[in-house]
């Protein structure tokens, strides 16, 4: 009897093992022990590499600099591989590290930037499961059509194009099913590992990454928060007729599923797309500068991930005007720079030596915008800096007026504001004339007149 029971248990165990091994729904990477073990092993190898590789080389020598660069590169590649294997939260944090050009060695930022194009993709079975759990219906009940291939996949979610029963074309953002359950455990694991590294290397100063992840990740995982952010920024910047923020369909949105108006367009750094569609790249560059300067300096509510996949452009079929389409509103930052602009702006050099956490996202945003300008070949126009200057002047003047109780003082501030804005407009006009054919002809004519012997 005991032998027969043992056979049955063995058969059941073997069958279960075969099912788990062959099941398409189960990924060994999702086991906690596998994820934890991989993270611990990677941290240990990186730590050992730093401890041993530079030990016998004179500090500050040319050989030391070369070896340190090699250790940085090896460690960055190991960290990248860990993020790709553990996915989810690890990729999100790795992407954030890849954007810290001001703080991390170049070997790390260059290596980790590839994580933007290596985000995981959930299967259709997993997408159907999330929609079923959150909306209580099958995909075929909710949609006339639903494209299996996602429009794009990110570290936390992916987006599919679909058509509702009433004919509206929508973008459906669906969270990867395991991210919610794994995120808090992943952050705790990162915190423990970074504390261990801090004990070995006392100068290690990146514990703030865990604090940022603790604060921001729950917000990014709540798609209802993203929907509220989208509506807030659309209302806040309603006077910008070039801005398009997709409408949110609240009746079919939850914390893990977000339904939005589907809006097509090309990526903001795709100059060829703009040329094919007769979109003025200089106009787009100017408007992008206006948009972000207004958010940073006037409203103090900043979209913190303006990489090209999240900022699209299109020519509006009804008006033929060029639109900027702002996507992915999961992470915004309320920054104090709006109310303290007068104190921050003259101290930009000191700022880089002691960067507040909120400024890190602003610096990342600035780099992404400058990268877009480089791709569009519009940096020479200086339009973004002129727009930023206008917003700075407006922000400082508004702040000064709010602190003044004298009508004379308020009038004086407004007059100085108008004068400063006029000077910027005059300088912009000069730059435009200088860059035009007429301006070049006038400059050449005046130059010849100046050098003429008569």
């Amino acid at each position: 009897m005991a032998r027969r029971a043992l056979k049955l248990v063995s058969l059941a165990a073997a069958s279960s093992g075969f099912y788990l091994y062959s099941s398409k729904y189960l990924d060994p990477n999702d086991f906690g022990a596998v994820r934890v073990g991989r993270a611990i092993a990677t941290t240990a190898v990186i730590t050992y590499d730093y401890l041993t590789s530079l030990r016998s080389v004179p500090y500050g020598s040319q050989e030391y600099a070369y070896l340190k660069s090699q250790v940085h590169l090896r460690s960055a590649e190991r960290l990248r591989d860990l993020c790709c294997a553990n996915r989810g939260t690890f990729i999100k944090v790795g992407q954030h590290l890849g954007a810290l050009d001001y703080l991390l060695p170049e070997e790390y930022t260059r290596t980790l930037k590839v994580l933007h194009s290596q985000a995981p993709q959930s299967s259709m079975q997993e997408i159907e499961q999330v929609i079923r759990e959150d909306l209580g219906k099958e995909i075929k009940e909710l949609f006339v059509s639903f494209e299996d291939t996602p429009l794009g996949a990110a570290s936390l979610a992916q987006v599919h194009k679909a058509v509702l029963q009433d004919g509206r074309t929508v973008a459906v953002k669906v969270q990867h099913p395991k991210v919610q359950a794994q995120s808090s455990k992943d952050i705790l694991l990162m915190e423990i590992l970074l504390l261990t590294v801090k004990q070995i290397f006392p100068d290690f100063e990146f514990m703030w990454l865990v604090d940022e992840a603790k604060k921001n990740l729950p917000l990014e995982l709540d798609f209802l928060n993203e929907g509220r952010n989208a509506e807030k920024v659309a209302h806040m910047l309603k006077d910008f007729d070039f801005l398009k923020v997709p409408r949110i369909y609240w009746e079919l949105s939850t914390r893990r599923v977000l339904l939005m108006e589907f809006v097509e367009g090309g990526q903001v750094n795709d100059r060829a797309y703009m040329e094919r569609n007769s979109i003025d790249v200089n106009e787009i560059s100017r408007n992008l500068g206006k948009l972000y300067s207004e958010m940073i300096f006037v409203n103090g509510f900043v979209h913190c991930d303006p990489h090209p996949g999240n900022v699209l452009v299109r020519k509006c079929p009804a008006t033929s005007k060029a639109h900027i389409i702002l996507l992915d509103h999961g992470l915004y930052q309320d920054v104090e720079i709006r109310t303290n602009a007068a104190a921050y702006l003259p101290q930009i050099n000191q700022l880089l030596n002691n960067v507040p956490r909120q400024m890190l996202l602003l610096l990342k945003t600035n780099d992404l915008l400058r990268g877009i300008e480089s791709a569009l070949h519009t940096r020479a126009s200086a339009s973004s800096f002129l727009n930023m200057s206008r917003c700075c002047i407006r922000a400082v003047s508004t702040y000064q007026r709010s602190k003044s109780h004298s009508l004379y003082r308020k009038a004086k501030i407004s007059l100085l504001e108008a004068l400063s804005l006029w000077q910027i407009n005059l300088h912009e006009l000069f730059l435009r004339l200088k860059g035009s054919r007429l301006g070049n002809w006038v400059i050449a004519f005046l130059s010849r007149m100046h050098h003429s012997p008569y």
Side-chain angles (χ1 to χ4, degrees), residues 185-235:
K185 299 170 188 173
D186 287 345
I187 292 173
L188 178 60
L189 173 60
M190 291 178 198
E191 185 170 22
I192 293 170
L193 292 175
L194 289 178
L195 283 170
T196 305
V197 172
K198 177 73 173 174
Q199 293 298 314
I200 300 171
F201 301 105
D203 293 336
F204 183 80
E205 295 295 346
F206 286 91
M207 288 306 301
W208 57 267
L209 276 171
V210 175
D211 296 330
E212 289 296 297
K214 282 181 180 178
K215 182 179 72 174
N216 292 329
L217 197 59
L219 296 175
E220 293 189 78
L221 288 172
D222 181 1
F223 289 174
L224 296 178
N225 174 69
E226 178 175 344
R228 288 189 292 269
N229 284 343
E231 290 195 341
K232 180 176 178 178
V233 79
H235 176 73

Side-chain angles (χ1 to χ4, degrees), residues 11-290:
L11 182 61
S15 301
S16 300
F18 176 76
Y19 171 76
L20 292 175
Y21 178 77
S22 61
S23 173
K24 68 178 77 174
Y25 302 106
L26 190 67
D27 188 336
N29 287 316
D30 296 326
F31 284 118
V34 174
R35 296 167 64 80
V36 171
R38 187 186 289 122
I40 291 174
T42 301
T43 305
V45 170
I46 291 174
T47 302
Y48 181 79
D49 199 357
Y50 275 104
L51 284 172
T52 58
S53 298
L54 303 174
R55 189 165 51 193
S56 58
V57 184
Y59 179 80
S61 65
Q62 190 172 354
E63 184 183 4
Y64 182 90
Y66 172 77
L67 287 176
K68 185 172 73 170
S69 175
Q70 294 301 303
V71 176
H72 284 336
L73 183 58
R74 289 195 297 270
S75 301
E77 289 171 346
R78 289 166 181 145
L79 190 58
R80 176 202 61 202
D81 295 342
L82 169 65
C83 293
C84 289
N86 277 9
R87 302 177 300 188
T89 310
F90 280 82
I91 285 188
K92 191 69 182 177
V93 173
Q95 290 173 340
H96 187 45
L97 288 171
L100 298 181
D101 300 274
Y102 292 90
L103 298 178
L104 288 182
E106 187 264 344
E107 294 86 354
Y108 276 92
T109 55
R110 184 182 70 241
T111 304
L112 295 175
K113 281 184 192 300
V114 303
L115 292 174
H116 280 288
S117 59
Q118 294 188 9
Q121 185 174 317
S122 293
S123 66
M124 267 309 296
Q125 289 87 353
E126 291 173 315
I127 296 299
E128 288 170 354
Q129 175 190 340
V130 173
I131 290 177
R132 187 185 309 118
E133 290 173 357
D134 279 41
L135 298 178
K137 292 183 179 181
E138 299 293 334
I139 282 182
K140 61 183 179 182
E141 298 178 74
L142 296 167
F143 305 100
V144 174
S145 65
F146 191 98
E147 294 187 2
D148 290 358
T149 304
L151 297 170
S155 56
L156 305 181
Q158 62 193 52
V159 179
H160 292 259
K161 184 180 179 181
V163 178
L164 290 169
Q165 296 290 349
D166 61 10
R168 288 177 293 177
T169 302
V170 294
V172 187
K173 184 173 183 177
V174 185
Q175 196 171 109
H176 299 311
K178 304 177 183 77
V179 171
Q180 283 276 3
Q182 292 172 345
S183 61
S184 58
K185 299 170 188 173
D186 287 345
I187 292 173
L188 178 60
L189 173 60
M190 291 178 198
E191 185 170 22
I192 293 170
L193 292 175
L194 289 178
L195 283 170
T196 305
V197 172
K198 177 73 173 174
Q199 293 298 314
I200 300 171
F201 301 105
D203 293 336
F204 183 80
E205 295 295 346
F206 286 91
M207 288 306 301
W208 57 267
L209 276 171
V210 175
D211 296 330
E212 289 296 297
K214 282 181 180 178
K215 182 179 72 174
N216 292 329
L217 197 59
L219 296 175
E220 293 189 78
L221 288 172
D222 181 1
F223 289 174
L224 296 178
N225 174 69
E226 178 175 344
R228 288 189 292 269
N229 284 343
E231 290 195 341
K232 180 176 178 178
V233 79
H235 176 73
M236 195 172 70
L237 302 174
K238 63 181 183 297
D239 293 335
F240 287 161
D241 59 357
F242 59 81
L243 175 64
K244 174 68 177 174
V245 178
R247 178 185 170 193
I248 304 298
Y249 298 120
W250 291 107
E251 67 275 15
L252 291 172
S253 294
T254 68
R255 289 174 64 88
R256 296 194 301 167
V257 179
L258 186 66
L259 252 71
M260 301 162 282
E261 172 189 6
F262 178 78
V263 185
E264 281 189 293
Q267 291 195 353
V268 72
N269 63 343
D270 190 344
R271 188 182 177 96
Y273 170 87
M274 295 190 205
E275 290 175 350
R276 287 196 307 272
N277 290 274
S278 303
I279 296 174
D280 185 347
V281 294
N282 290 296
E283 181 186 357
I284 292 295
S285 183
R286 284 195 302 272
N287 287 341
L288 199 61
K290 286 180 187 176

Side-chain angles (χ1 to χ4, degrees), residues 292-300 302 335 337-338 362 365:
Y292 274 88
S293 294
E294 189 83 10
M295 281 193 280
I296 292 171
F297 297 106
V298 178
N299 294 290
V302 188
V335 286
I337 196 167
R338 176 173 61 92
L362 293 185
T365 298

